[in-house]
Amino acid sequence: MEAFANYEIWWVTGAQMLYGEEPVRIVESHSKEMVEGVNGAGVLPVKVVYKGTVMSSKDIEKVMLEANACSKCIGIITWMHTFSPAKMWIHGLQQLRKPLLHLHTQYNAEIPWDTMDMDFMNLNQSAHGDREFGHICARLNVRRKVVVGYWKDAKTLARIAVWSRVAAAWADAQDMLVLRFGDQMNNVAVTDGDKVAAEMQLGYHVDYCPVSELMEYFKKVTDAEVDKLVEVYHAEYACGDAVLTPGTVEYKSVWNAAKAELALRACLEAHGAKAFTTNFDDLGTDDINDPQFVGFDQIPGLASQRLMAEGYGFGAEGDWKSAALYRTLWVMNQGLGGCSFLEDYTLNFDGSNSSILQAHMLEVCPMIAEEKPRLEVHFLGIGIRKAQTARLVFTSRPGKGVTATVIDMGNRFRLIVNDVECIKSKPLPKLPVASALWIPMPDFETGAGAWIMAGGTHHSCFAYNVTPEYWADYAEMAGIEMVHIDENTTMESFKRELRVNDVYYLLNK
Ligand code: MN
């Protein structure tokens, strides 16, 4: 949970002086108790810090500007204990640039029927105070999440936890560099897009890194470092005799793959990059028989698999949008389970069990593996280097999950989210790659049909435990379109939604 430990969420309580100083003192003490309680519940991955009760436009503007300037602060939770006349919030909200969660809760759970008097009423006014606040957010068109529920309830805390994880991923993305080794795969449309718009809207920056520069890191990797990493491979994965025996083609191929991993990691670290893309046609000096040859002898697929598990965003064939989205998914998903970059590979028509095989040439993250991944070497005949190529082979564990992609529609980014169910896959003796097999919701025909109708990529970012609520929070923070294909989707309603969204984004440029 390293990434979460560096962040904090600010809690700001709204009130006013109308009822004198005593109620305000009580508001303070209640707020402190609530923040302690929320932290103490152990559900939120990020620490909540109480930043005081605000009672004037100046107070509010001050705390909002401080939040903007504080690199640790990833978002603000607001709650109106008493009535908080919302004109006070205008200047502050107009300037807030961090994600906002409006918590509609109340200090006490149940109405104290027998003892409730006007003092109690004046104090416990979130029922209308939060509506006043909600109004000004709506009027100002402030992007936010509204969470309604008692602050001690597990359900309420779980929804705040989702938002906290997304806010952490959002903060992470504002400081994200995506390095591209090679360009997009020629002529591919769906993985390309406007990198300027992406930086303006989504925060991350995309740079090109010549493969010749990557090769400078490759040259500096020592044999001892490679030997050490090969030992790690042998310990972590199931390996056959050929992979374990020095002198074999397999051993050498794995050794070269380890050297590529060390070069890639060194280059990414030197640049401070959090994500990267590769291109199978750009792997260093073209002629492997050239005495001056410096280059990968194979596609660095094993490196991509392992770097994904470590948290680096990855997109194949120059797909920088997927690389950035995977990094965001990985941050949100920390400690929750497996996630991976995947590609719609091939279809399996089988009546009501019709499904889509998810795989890639090599690059699937071992975090979704059902069993210990096998480290294997096989010939790969795609790309500039047709060679014996190391890779981790496994099938994913069955279970429900969610996959997502971002596409560039020209006037906006569209996030497409689909609930899927991973089912048991079968061995692929002649296709030794990592894979998952899933049925898109609500069924194969509607799920795949809606995804295609929305213009979704063949690449997507999948996780078992990152629910659509995470993606909804992400789309809200980013201010991008989201369409969600779930068990209730029909093509008729989905097409209508796409058309309504087209109009919305024409009117709201
Ligand atoms: Mn691909």
Side-chain angles (χ1 to χ4, degrees):
M1 296 285 172
E2 271 298 303
F4 295 137
N6 298 326
Y7 293 134
E8 57 191 39
I9 289 162
W10 289 9
W11 175 298
V12 178
T13 302
Q16 63 173 344
M17 282 302 285
L18 185 67
Y19 316 111
E21 288 190 5
E22 183 55 20
V24 172
R25 263 198 298 278
I26 301 170
V27 167
E28 277 280 313
S29 77
H30 285 175
S31 297
K32 284 175 186 161
E33 186 186 333
M34 290 165 79
V35 170
E36 274 172 31
V38 167
N39 283 326
V43 178
L44 268 57
V46 181
K47 188 184 173 204
V48 181
V49 178
Y50 176 56
K51 296 304 274 191
T53 296
V54 290
M55 284 172 293
S56 72
S57 182
K58 288 281 172 246
D59 282 353
I60 293 164
E61 196 173 2
K62 185 167 176 286
V63 74
M64 297 300 186
L65 292 175
E66 282 170 7
N68 288 347
C70 177
S71 59
K72 289 182 95 174
C73 174
I74 59 168
I76 287 193
I77 295 174
T78 53
W79 166 62
M80 307 302 122
H81 194 329
T82 71
F83 199 70
S84 175
K87 288 179 191 171
M88 296 193 311
W89 288 86
I90 292 174
H91 291 292
L93 287 172
Q94 279 176 329
Q95 294 180 82
L96 180 66
R97 296 189 51 77
K98 296 284 168 89
L100 176 67
L101 184 147
H102 177 199
L103 178 59
H104 180 46
T105 191
Q106 187 168 274
Y107 172 73
N108 63 302
E110 288 174 23
I111 292 174
W113 298 100
D114 297 335
T115 59
M116 182 160 70
D117 58 11
M118 196 49 84
D119 286 344
F120 180 94
M121 278 306 301
N122 286 337
L123 187 63
N124 295 281
Q125 292 194 330
S126 33
H128 63 282
D130 278 327
R131 279 168 176 74
E132 170 76 355
F133 181 78
H135 168 76
I136 208 65
C137 289
R139 177 76 191 269
L140 292 168
N141 203 14
V142 174
R143 295 201 300 269
R144 69 219 192 265
K145 180 176 192 172
V146 179
V147 173
V148 181
Y150 191 52
W151 56 280
K152 289 181 181 173
D153 273 0
K155 264 168 73 178
T156 309
L157 291 166
R159 294 198 66 206
I160 301 172
V162 167
W163 176 84
S164 307
R165 286 173 168 274
V166 181
W170 178 249
D172 176 81
Q174 306 314 300
D175 180 35
M176 189 198 301
L177 168 64
V178 182
L179 269 196
R180 305 167 73 226
F181 301 109
D183 204 337
Q184 305 296 124
M185 182 174 165
N186 286 343
N187 270 315
V188 176
V190 73
T191 60
D192 215 336
D194 184 340
K195 297 194 275 297
V196 177
E199 186 153 353
M200 289 164 62
Q201 190 91 45
L202 304 168
Y204 58 77
H205 177 76
V206 185
D207 264 348
Y208 174 62
C209 181
V211 177
S212 58
E213 187 187 328
L214 175 57
M215 289 308 136
E216 293 306 310
Y217 293 90
F218 189 64
K219 283 187 218 166
K220 286 179 197 149
V221 177
T222 66
D223 287 1
E225 287 175 290
V226 180
D227 289 340
K228 214 173 138 190
L229 185 55
V230 170
E231 276 176 33
V232 172
Y233 291 178
H234 290 170
E236 273 186 33
Y237 310 117
C239 301
D241 286 344
V243 165
L244 294 170
T245 311
T248 62
V249 168
E250 287 81 358
Y251 186 94
K252 183 64 183 165
S253 178
V254 166
W255 197 92
N256 289 341
K259 187 169 177 178
E261 178 185 326
L262 291 162
L264 272 164
R265 187 182 291 100
C267 184
L268 293 168
E269 278 176 2
H271 282 267
K274 295 174 179 173
F276 69 105
T277 68
T278 56
N279 183 313
F280 54 69
D281 275 331
D282 200 351
L283 300 171
T285 310
D286 284 352
D287 183 3
I288 200 163
N289 297 313
D290 183 338
Q292 302 298 314
F293 172 79
V294 179
F296 295 159
D297 69 318
Q298 56 188 289
I299 296 169
L302 176 59
S304 301
Q305 290 184 292
R306 286 175 44 83
L307 288 165
M308 259 192 268
E310 209 173 296
Y312 285 100
F314 173 77
E317 297 109 34
D319 184 356
W320 50 270
K321 293 198 302 300
S322 289
L325 196 69
Y326 177 81
R327 165 70 185 195
T328 289
L329 174 61
W330 185 89
V331 173
M332 299 192 300
N333 184 55
Q334 277 177 99
L336 296 183
C339 60
S340 183
F341 166 85
L342 284 165
E343 176 173 279
D344 294 300
Y345 226 43
T346 198
L347 306 178
N348 185 45
F349 285 104
D350 181 21
S352 62
N353 279 324
S354 290
S355 55
I356 311 170
L357 184 73
Q358 300 292 318
H360 206 265
M361 216 150 54
L362 301 165
E363 303 93 342
V364 178
C365 178
M367 286 170 74
I368 65 168
E370 185 177 27
E371 291 159 358
K372 193 176 191 179
R374 298 185 306 281
L375 178 54
E376 297 184 7
V377 175
H378 300 279
F379 183 77
L380 184 64
I382 291 177
I384 196 152
R385 219 75 87 218
K386 296 166 183 30
Q388 293 293 332
T389 306
R391 80 282 305 272
L392 295 174
V393 182
F394 54 85
T395 52
S396 72
R397 71 178 169 82
K400 288 182 192 297
V402 172
T403 204
T405 189
V406 168
I407 57 166
D408 186 346
M409 290 294 287
N411 66 341
R412 84 260 192 195
F413 290 101
R414 169 182 284 167
L415 177 71
I416 305 165
V417 177
N418 192 184
D419 300 6
V420 299
E421 179 158 9
C422 290
I423 58 173
K424 191 83 184 162
S425 193
K426 288 180 184 170
L428 297 161
K430 299 286 186 188
L431 185 69
V433 294
S435 66
L437 183 68
W438 73 42
I439 303 173
M441 296 296 112
D443 53 65
F444 174 82
E445 292 80 5
T446 312
W451 186 276
I452 287 169
M453 187 60 74
T457 30
H458 52 286
H459 288 168
S460 70
C461 297
F462 164 83
Y464 289 102
N465 296 314
V466 169
T467 60
E469 186 178 357
Y470 288 78
W471 289 119
D473 287 358
Y474 173 76
E476 184 73 16
M477 284 177 203
I480 62 172
E481 180 188 6
M482 169 173 153
V483 289
H484 177 204
I485 306 159
D486 68 4
E487 57 182 8
N488 299 315
T489 298
T490 65
M491 280 305 282
E492 190 186 358
S493 65
F494 192 73
K495 279 170 76 170
R496 193 183 307 123
E497 183 182 352
L498 294 178
R499 287 178 183 143
V500 168
N501 288 1
D502 278 342
V503 174
Y504 174 87
Y505 284 97
L506 272 177
L507 296 174
N508 293 281
K509 282 187 179 157

